[in-house]
Amino acid sequence: EVQLVESGGGLVQPGGSLRLSCAASGFTFSGHTMTWVRQAPGKGLEWVSAINNRGGTSDADSVKGRFAISRDNAKNTLYLQMNSLKPEDTATYYCAREFYHLYDYWGQGTQVTVSS
């Protein structure tokens, strides 16, 4: 059974940092592109960052230079290092597995709140 479990969210002040983790199981983690997607209160889903199976990364313009996606294939874990956080980064953050350009499995999400 494929499982994705996010952790690391919380309340942080503007300008602060958080690192999100996504523990994967039930599939060959190293073989898949993995993605972070977020949903702010009352808004739609927003793609944030992706990392392919060779370690190549891409980021949304809204987070470029502030967020960094990474993976540890030995630990079957995906990460999102978030620095210089802004109130507009407040959202539920989901990790998702990409399969032929679709996101076929999602985690339950972890809440990030940026507020003073």
Side-chain angles (χ1 to χ4, degrees):
E1 178 190 6
V2 173
Q3 285 194 320
L4 298 170
V5 180
E6 301 96 337
S7 61
L11 173 65
V12 62
Q13 292 187 341
S17 298
L18 282 175
R19 188 175 82 153
L20 306 184
S21 300
C22 172
S25 61
F27 66 102
T28 305
F29 177 74
S30 60
H32 286 266
T33 294
M34 298 296 297
T35 298
W36 287 100
V37 178
R38 68 185 180 184
Q39 186 168 29
K43 297 193 176 180
L45 294 171
E46 178 188 14
W47 173 81
V48 176
S49 296
I51 184 166
N52 65 26
N53 60 347
R54 298 176 302 280
T57 64
S58 55
D59 304 300
D61 287 344
S62 58
V63 306
K64 201 163 290 185
R66 300 188 299 120
F67 290 12
I69 190 172
S70 62
R71 66 193 300 163
D72 185 335
N73 290 334
K75 295 183 178 180
N76 289 345
T77 303
L78 177 72
Y79 301 101
L80 185 67
Q81 178 66 44
M82 306 187 296
N83 300 323
S84 302
L85 282 160
K86 304 175 181 180
E88 52 263 43
D89 296 317
T90 294
T92 301
Y93 285 72
Y94 301 91
C95 65
R97 186 182 83 165
E98 184 174 318
F99 183 74
Y100 289 100
H101 306 293
L102 299 175
Y103 303 133
D104 60 347
Y105 286 95
W106 297 69
Q108 84 289 350
T110 187
Q111 177 66 37
V112 171
T113 302
V114 185
S115 174
S116 55

